[in-house]
Amino acid sequence: VAMSDGLPPAATSTETTRNSVKGERRRFLGTALAHGGARVLSKVASAPIERIKICAQVGVQPVAGAPFSGALGMPATLCGVVRTEGLRALWRGCPTHVAGVCIGAVTRLGALRTLQMWAMPGGGQHYQGAGAFVRRCSFLYAAGASALLLAYPLDVAFTLLAADVASPRRQFRGVWHLAKSVARERGVLSFYRGLPLCLATAVPFVAIATGVHDGLAPFLLDRPGQAPEPSEHDVHPGDFSSMSRSGAVVNSWAPAHLFPWNLLLGASAGFIAQSITYPLDTLRRRWLFASCHPLAAAPTSLRGMACQLYMEGGLRAYYAGYGANATKLAPELLVLCMAYKQINVSSYFV
């Protein structure tokens, strides 16, 4: 009987397979951690603009006596916040936001594979056309919804902290003070205010983002002849830019030779979907802010909030802060691309 290092061939084959599986798991975990770090850095980079956007959505003036738009503009608004609240105020609520993003991403990744196997048994190659599209949207939505159930209270807390300006005075000293105050005055369920609307908004978001991704992918990702020769150290980093939007993962893992098209594709698909569903997000944030903030007068219903928002500025009021939302895409994508490139160049981060 042939022997190899004192072991029979069957045992050697089993050990080789086990080592291969362990190596793949280590590469997956290392890639996930690396891109998770890039995601955190991108959120930190865009946090000042994100805070200005939320203030515009909920109708709070970041600088007392000055409007968000018009002659003031976003750069002057940021300077006004630094002048009145200090430099650290630009990142107010950022740790809470980052924690929510991390919890949502981990939950989404953990549920995605199982949900995909349930929605598309046998693999996606067995499904074509509209049936495949519906099945993909279903497991992407389910994964995003499961993440929202855990991360949504942190999004509520971040909204309240970001919109809690120093003029006339702040209502919350920090996230723990906010949690105790809101739970005592409005109830624990207030941290899930607007969740049904968020889940409903995720339906068209996932459908639009997936459709845009599928439509543009043949033009941006179908680049034959450019893939490098595979080796035992090759890794396959994922496109985490599409995770920055509510409840969807459009392009989870893509070969390194597709950089930067995979990142641009994920960001474009998410941005287009978010632009179309942005009015619903504005309505949700205004509703939860009015329902949870101590100084806000809450309307009797979501419909009443929608009517009030329309009376304040018509349809344009539903796109409050949209310019800031579009602007923050640049620093987020820049940080993601820089981290992505460094990961692909090193290839030995695990």
Side-chain angles (χ1 to χ4, degrees):
V1 179
M3 303 288 288
S4 176
D5 296 332
L7 295 176
T12 303
S13 177
T14 302
E15 185 66 22
T16 301
T17 303
R18 186 181 297 113
N19 291 335
S20 177
V21 171
K22 289 182 179 179
E24 289 298 323
R25 288 176 178 174
R26 289 180 62 236
R27 280 191 285 270
F28 175 84
L29 179 60
T31 305
L33 292 176
H35 283 274
R39 189 75 207 129
V40 168
L41 292 176
S42 70
K43 283 299 179 183
V44 172
S46 64
I49 305 176
E50 180 74 15
R51 189 188 176 199
I52 298 300
K53 182 202 81 169
I54 290 179
C55 288
Q57 282 186 306
V58 303
V60 171
Q61 296 179 355
V63 181
F68 168 77
S69 58
L72 185 66
M74 188 169 59
T77 303
L78 293 173
C79 294
V81 171
V82 174
R83 185 171 58 253
T84 58
E85 301 183 36
L87 182 63
R88 292 181 58 185
L90 294 177
W91 283 269
R92 181 167 173 78
C94 181
T96 304
H97 184 41
V98 168
V101 170
C102 293
I103 292 175
V106 171
T107 304
R108 190 180 300 114
L109 276 176
L112 193 62
R113 179 63 62 184
T114 301
L115 292 169
Q116 183 177 8
M117 293 175 62
W118 173 79
M120 308 181 78
Q125 67 274 13
H126 299 294
Y127 303 91
Q128 301 293 332
F133 178 79
V134 172
R135 289 175 180 270
R136 284 188 63 208
C137 289
S138 64
F139 76 76
L140 288 173
Y141 174 82
S146 63
L148 278 175
L149 294 176
L150 292 180
Y152 191 80
L154 291 174
D155 182 69
V156 173
F158 170 59
T159 299
L160 296 176
L161 286 173
D164 188 30
V165 297
S167 178
R169 66 182 181 87
R170 287 177 176 169
Q171 300 300 311
F172 307 114
R173 295 191 297 270
V175 62
W176 295 114
H177 179 245
L178 180 149
K180 291 187 292 184
S181 299
V182 173
R184 182 178 61 253
E185 298 177 10
R186 304 297 176 108
V188 177
L189 291 181
S190 296
F191 286 101
Y192 281 93
R193 178 75 68 176
L195 177 62
L197 178 58
C198 189
L199 292 173
T201 304
V203 175
F205 179 92
V206 172
I208 295 169
T210 305
V212 172
H213 175 271
D214 291 350
L216 295 179
F219 302 98
L220 297 180
L221 299 185
D222 187 14
R223 301 166 66 83
Q226 297 191 19
E229 291 296 325
S231 71
E232 61 177 349
H233 298 298
D234 282 348
V235 294
H236 303 284
D239 176 12
F240 274 68
S241 64
S242 57
M243 290 181 182
S244 62
R245 312 296 182 239
S246 311
V249 179
V250 174
N251 186 24
S252 297
W253 300 97
H257 72 284
L258 296 179
F259 173 83
W261 304 108
N262 52 340
L263 287 175
L264 295 175
L265 177 58
S268 299
F271 180 72
I272 292 173
Q274 190 187 36
S275 298
I276 297 174
T277 60
Y278 191 86
L280 295 176
D281 184 63
T282 299
L283 176 60
R284 177 185 67 87
R285 288 195 187 275
R286 179 68 72 92
W287 168 243
L288 69 86
F289 176 79
S291 301
C292 298
H293 199 275
L295 300 182
T300 57
S301 64
L302 182 61
R303 181 179 180 180
M305 184 76 259
C307 294
Q308 177 181 326
L309 188 60
Y310 182 80
M311 291 176 62
E312 290 179 4
L315 294 178
R316 290 187 61 182
Y318 286 89
Y319 276 92
Y322 179 76
N325 182 69
T327 302
K328 75 183 181 70
L329 183 65
E332 284 190 1
L333 193 57
L334 178 62
V335 172
L336 282 171
C337 286
M338 292 175 62
Y340 194 105
K341 185 176 181 180
Q342 291 300 318
I343 292 169
N344 288 332
V345 169
S346 64
S347 300
Y348 290 96
F349 56 88
V350 294

